[in-house]
Amino acid sequence: MSADEQHRPISAGKASPEPAGLQPGDTAASGTGNAPSDAATSEQVGAAAPPPMASPAAPADQESAGSGTVAGAVGLPSLIPEAPASIIPAAAATPASGTFVAAYEHSAVVRFCHWLNAFALLVMMLSGWRIFIAFPSFGPRIPEHKLLNIPESITLGGWLGGALQWHYTFMWVFTATGLIYVGYLIASGEYKTMLFRPRDIPGAWPMVRHYFFFGPKPKQTEAYNPLQKLAYTSIVLCGALSVLTGIVILRPVQLSGLAWLMGGFHLARVWHFVAMCGFVAFIPGHLLMVTLHGWENFMSMVRGWKKNPDYF
Amino acid sequence: MQRQFANQEFKRVSRRQILKLTPLVALGAFAIPPSRDYLLDRGVAFTDWAATKLFRTGHLAPTYPDSALTPLNRFPYNSYDTDKPEIDPDWSLEVSGLVRRPGNYSLDDLRKLPKISQNTRHVCIEGWDLVASFAGARLSDFLNLIGADTNARFVYVECADDYYESLDMEAAMHPQSLLCYEMYGKPLQAGHGAPLRFSLPTKIGYKSAKYLTSLKVTNVLTQRSYWGDQGYSTYADI
């Protein structure tokens, strides 16, 4: 399913003018957007009077649940790419009592790759630090500078050989899940919602102001805000950099051409380290944002569906 | 895609979606030592297998001008080598296995073979590396001299310090793989493996065994590599 379908809101804007900043014809901007880690709330839908949502804590209507009744026309609007809001049945937007709305945000492929890749990345970083301890420097051995003192207790593998075993094993998992993930995003067109492009540059600074300097929250017109796009795009590039430099460090002779492109064996090690630093920078921010945006946001990466998405 | 759910149905759909992720539970095998060790061993073996597919016999390791050499006195050797083994003054290399002319070969026998001198990069598994000058006979020329069966799979060597190492035949036949008896134009120093060592620019440092005492051409290995048997890669290609 395409990203447009996934992130198309049913109700937003139904009775209201389009939110300011929404670009007509831009499919990725065709709604208030899926904002898995951003509270694109009713304030931005404006006075559109967001549809009443059944609280997830509300007791289930056992009868309707038992009979398998769900609101009719489910998903129907999402099958019509540019359906005018007026033809969307009101029933689809107003949950019946005892029901609630959920959005399918992440397909099984994406979720599977995300968790397997996350595990592999953790292994790669912890074992990589142990490998770095064996020679905590770059370039030739002498003079050896101990650039960084990484405590062994936070590393994986116990010794250089053990760490290399973890590294050699999980590099395949990391690379394979990364390739499948990127391949899926491209094939499904979903990458369009995440790719940071030049037109996202103007929106980046207001988001920085909002996140870091308590600035006003910019209006969100797409699934991901410019900073999210920047983060998700650069982390994929970071992964690609770590794999390419890793291959060069592993096989600098057989792949001497690629090694030359990276400025030689020594620089490949430096770039490999830089990629690791990129992950170190990304992960705490990613975890913090997920925590700030709540349990349902986390669960959407587990079960695909997000209950009562905040972009209604 | 968005839709409405009744609570019951949402539970069912959620369960089905979560079940799709259950293969991830297999990662738990990495928490149990026996299966963890097995899997990590397989991981290294798979990496080595992939390296054999990448290896090109004709692909030469880069060589460097003398100006790029790291001075000999700054070529480190590990503490394992500070207890330099005693070398028999009547040293010779004992050759056995799948060869037509087994026996003992002296340093003079090796010197009669064409002498190859090359400045190549020595890469240590720890991460450091340097460019050094090595000279000696091509291993392939020596295998030819002893009438080795080059269809055999391995060349296995033992060393005076109880070190041992094996090479796949492809790497042994590589034109830059040397039986090295000189470094920097001088006979090998004690710490660097006198009187004879491997110099293998296509392999990681620990494959370049020092203090060689015997060489065997074989299809069967009872032990593969001093470090390889402790968990490092045995193939150890670079």
Side-chain angles (χ1 to χ4, degrees), chain B residues 182-203:
Chain B
E182 272 184 25
M183 278 173 68
Y184 296 81
K186 285 173 275 191
L188 278 188
Q189 292 177 358
H192 289 292
L196 190 69
R197 69 173 296 174
F198 273 160
S199 172
L200 309 169
T202 60
K203 295 284 177 183

Side-chain angles (χ1 to χ4, degrees), chain A residues 1 5-10 56 58-60 62 64-65 69-71 74-75 91-96 98-104 108 111-112 115-116 119 131 134-135 139-143 159-161 164-166 168-172 250-256 265-266 269 302-303 305 307 311-312, chain B residues 1-10 12-15 17-18 20-24 27 30-31 36-37 39-44 46-48 50-51 54-57 59-62 70 73-78 121 123-130 174 201-202 227 230-233 235-238:
Chain A
M1 119 186 16
E5 288 163 355
Q6 265 193 54
H7 301 309
R8 176 174 306 286
I10 296 171
Q62 288 302 327
S64 105
T69 308
V70 289
V74 286
T94 313
T99 68
F100 54 85
V101 177
Y104 192 62
R111 280 176 284 139
F112 192 84
W115 291 115
L116 195 49
F119 186 86
I131 295 167
F135 177 60
R141 178 167 195 161
I142 299 169
W159 66 298
L160 175 58
L164 284 167
Q165 290 179 337
W166 284 98
Y168 289 167
T169 303
F170 276 88
M171 68 185 190
W172 299 103
L250 195 59
R251 304 281 178 251
V253 168
Q254 293 303 329
L255 302 175
S256 49
F265 178 70
H266 296 154
R269 274 191 99 221
V302 176
R303 63 185 173 208
W305 291 90
K307 256 184 190 177
Y311 42 86
F312 266 99
Chain B
M1 178 167 56
Q2 293 167 344
R3 53 174 288 198
Q4 294 182 14
F5 283 98
N7 274 354
Q8 269 322 91
E9 198 207 1
F10 189 71
R12 205 175 64 233
V13 168
S14 295
R15 203 177 306 131
Q17 290 296 337
I18 291 170
K20 289 181 182 171
L21 301 185
T22 43
L24 293 173
L27 288 172
F30 285 96
R36 177 196 63 204
D37 294 347
L39 288 169
L40 293 181
D41 189 57
R42 291 292 83 205
V44 175
F46 182 67
T47 305
D48 282 358
L54 199 62
F55 187 84
R56 291 164 288 162
T57 313
H59 182 75
L60 296 182
T70 303
N73 60 8
R74 287 166 69 184
F75 189 139
Y77 42 82
N78 274 319
R121 190 175 289 280
V123 181
C124 181
I125 189 78
E126 290 174 355
W128 55 268
D129 67 282
L130 44 77
H174 190 276
T202 60
W227 284 111
Q230 295 180 55
Y232 283 135
S233 157
Y235 191 71
D237 200 29
I238 58 171

